[in-house]
Amino acid sequence: MESLKHLPPASGSSSELSGQFTDLAPALTARQAAIESARCLYCYDAPCSRICPSEIDVASFIRKIHDGNIDGAAAGILSQNILGGSCARVCPTEILCEDACVRNHDAEGQPVRIGLLQRHATDHARFDGHPFQRAPLTGKTVAVVGAGPAGLSCAHRLAMLGNDVVVYEAREKSGGLNEYGIARYKLTEDFAQKEVEFLLGIGGIEVRHGRMLGVNLQLHDLHARYDAVFLALGLNASRRLGLTGEDAPGLMAAVDYIAALRQASDLATLPVPRRAIVIGAGNTAIDMAVQLKRLGAQDVTLVYRRGIESMSATGHEQEIAKLNQVRVRTWAAPLEVLLDDDGRVRGMRFEQTMLEGERLVRTGAFIEIAADAVFKAIGQGIEPAGLSDPLARQLKREGDKIHVDTHFRTALAGIYAGGDCVAPGQDLTVQAVQHGKLAAHTIHNDIQTNVEAASWPI
């Protein structure tokens, strides 16, 4: 936040600002859950279940809610997705299970609210201890690098299969994106840490914080010491705009501000610009813009180089931006950071764009937007230091991500990877959880049978 230290703090009292970051979608009451679960048709070969990235049996858990078996519903969810509570809050159900719901096509034209029902089950389950028991111990120990959704999911499933796990995490807290990267109004009341505590309750998992791959942790050491290594590095390095003035006071990565916002004990201490520009078109850009408005920024403009139809942010997220008076400016590519006499950001110049066939071209027309701060949300990559040691450099890459086979094996025997740092799939929390779960089964089977690299199809 050093880049924004010249800006004034958020306007409003601590309690007023906290009120702007309550649950985006309030939880269902017991009566609402009963009524909503009764709307489900419990389809055979339900399309909502088939489209779920973590393979949750949606119809089954909803029927259990309807029958009053909340613990059974939650156990069914968590058996497939151990982070089912957070995924119920942040998963884009509107483009996944709810979009596939057959009730979209009947007289009501409204899907069953699957996300809220999943949250109801996981929030109200009252297990006597951890719901899953560990298998007999295998005597094997696996290192997991990264305590985000993929790493935690992998660690939990490995522990459940009887392995011991040591998780290495660079930051002070576990949770990854759920702890540091999700809008504060989506995961409230320290939910991410409560979920981590629950997950670790299975036993057999040790988490060591302050250990960063390529800095005070080396892949070749882990490879030598453990039976297997799972890389769940995430994408922590923000991409650059490549413009002069990009390091000037007042310009910073959106994810860095969101992390500071999520960790702030008093929102009134956060620096907030009166006018802000957010560059990007994904859910992170929307999260950034909306939270600035809720902190009291008067004018927030989200700028994207293509049209609305090309934005990766879901329609639901775009609607949230509209409801919070975020201005969206499309067909404008960043051209120049404008600085004042003190070298601080005073705005940006953009060049208008258009499509010629399928090719995006610049038109030669320019616009300037005044701003006290600019936040870039143009994507992230793997932290370069993480793959800097000699062994890590031998990993096969696919673009700027790690290449893995269909079973999450890398090109190096005994090293696996999953989550946002690998090429397949979408950058979704639920997808990362699934990667971790499936990779755990591969790792468990391999270390029991001592699979050799020569048998790995890469």
Side-chain angles (χ1 to χ4, degrees), residues 352-356 359-363:
Q352 293 181 345
T353 60
M354 62 179 290
L355 284 178
E356 282 188 356
R359 189 167 64 96
L360 187 72
V361 298
R362 296 174 181 262
T363 65

Side-chain angles (χ1 to χ4, degrees), residues 92-113:
T93 55
E94 68 278 0
I95 63 170
L96 294 171
C97 53
E98 291 178 11
D99 185 57
C101 179
V102 298
R103 300 227 61 167
N104 283 302
H105 310 295
D106 64 14
E108 288 188 15
Q110 293 292 329
V112 175
R113 292 188 288 178

Side-chain angles (χ1 to χ4, degrees), residues 273-297:
R274 183 171 63 87
R275 303 165 301 176
I277 294 170
V278 178
I279 301 173
N283 290 347
T284 298
I286 298 288
D287 284 353
M288 182 73 235
V290 170
Q291 289 182 111
L292 284 172
K293 288 292 292 185
R294 294 189 175 203
L295 285 169

Side-chain angles (χ1 to χ4, degrees), residues 113-433:
R113 292 188 288 178
I114 298 169
L116 286 174
L117 285 172
Q118 180 170 315
R119 173 179 173 178
H120 181 80
T122 54
D123 283 2
H124 291 88
R126 295 295 178 264
F127 299 119
D128 182 14
H130 197 79
F132 308 113
Q133 301 301 314
R134 297 187 71 189
L137 299 185
T138 64
K140 305 289 187 177
T141 306
V142 178
V144 172
V145 183
L152 291 171
S153 173
C154 185
H156 182 272
R157 187 54 59 111
L158 283 168
M160 195 167 79
L161 292 169
N163 306 285
D164 290 323
V165 185
V166 180
V167 181
Y168 293 93
E169 168 56 40
R171 289 175 140 159
E172 295 179 357
K173 295 180 181 180
S174 301
L177 185 69
N178 286 353
E179 177 60 40
Y180 292 98
I182 295 292
R184 188 161 172 150
Y185 51 74
K186 292 180 180 177
L187 281 177
T188 62
E189 298 177 347
D190 208 26
F191 184 83
Q193 289 310 300
K194 294 175 184 176
E195 193 168 45
V196 169
E197 182 180 353
F198 164 76
L199 180 150
L200 296 177
I202 195 170
I205 304 172
E206 177 190 353
V207 184
R208 300 178 185 176
H209 293 280
R211 304 296 298 275
M212 183 175 180
L213 196 66
V215 177
N216 55 5
L217 189 68
Q218 300 302 324
L219 184 58
H220 66 271
D221 290 337
L222 297 176
H223 190 242
R225 290 166 51 197
Y226 292 94
D227 294 292
V229 180
F230 178 67
L231 300 177
L233 305 178
L235 301 175
N236 296 313
S238 295
R239 294 195 175 101
R240 294 182 64 83
L241 294 166
L243 302 178
T244 302
E246 189 165 351
D247 297 315
L251 199 154
M252 71 180 297
V255 291
D256 293 340
Y257 191 93
I258 292 172
L261 192 161
R262 283 198 56 85
Q263 299 305 306
S265 57
D266 182 359
L267 297 178
T269 63
L270 288 171
V272 178
R274 183 171 63 87
R275 303 165 301 176
I277 294 170
V278 178
I279 301 173
N283 290 347
T284 298
I286 298 288
D287 284 353
M288 182 73 235
V290 170
Q291 289 182 111
L292 284 172
K293 288 292 292 185
R294 294 189 175 203
L295 285 169
Q298 295 177 18
D299 186 8
V300 179
T301 304
L302 189 152
V303 184
Y304 178 44
R305 61 195 177 95
R306 293 181 180 270
I308 289 284
E309 67 283 350
S310 298
M311 292 181 69
S312 58
T314 66
H316 174 69
E317 294 292 328
Q318 293 181 41
E319 189 61 30
I320 293 172
K322 292 177 184 177
L323 292 173
N324 284 271
Q325 291 80 53
V326 172
R327 180 183 294 108
V328 178
R329 184 68 184 256
T330 55
W331 303 109
L335 184 66
E336 182 183 358
V337 181
L338 303 177
L339 306 177
D340 64 16
D341 293 339
D342 296 319
R344 297 171 178 167
V345 168
R346 65 172 179 84
M348 282 199 72
R349 178 176 290 116
F350 298 86
E351 185 170 0
Q352 293 181 345
T353 60
M354 62 179 290
L355 284 178
E356 282 188 356
E358 296 184 359
R359 189 167 64 96
L360 187 72
V361 298
R362 296 174 181 262
T363 65
F366 305 97
I367 57 172
E368 290 187 6
I369 301 177
D372 308 303
V374 175
F375 301 90
K376 53 182 180 179
I378 55 174
Q380 295 168 263
I382 299 173
E383 189 68 50
L387 299 178
S388 61
D389 81 14
L391 185 62
R393 287 198 292 270
Q394 296 179 39
L395 292 169
K396 186 177 179 181
R397 304 291 286 271
E398 190 167 333
D400 60 353
K401 296 189 177 186
I402 300 170
H403 177 77
V404 294
D405 69 8
T406 55
H407 299 286
F408 302 96
R409 300 183 182 108
T410 72
L412 300 177
I415 299 177
Y416 306 75
D420 292 348
C421 70
V422 302
Q426 305 175 57
D427 293 343
L428 297 173
T429 299
V430 66
Q431 185 80 72
V433 172

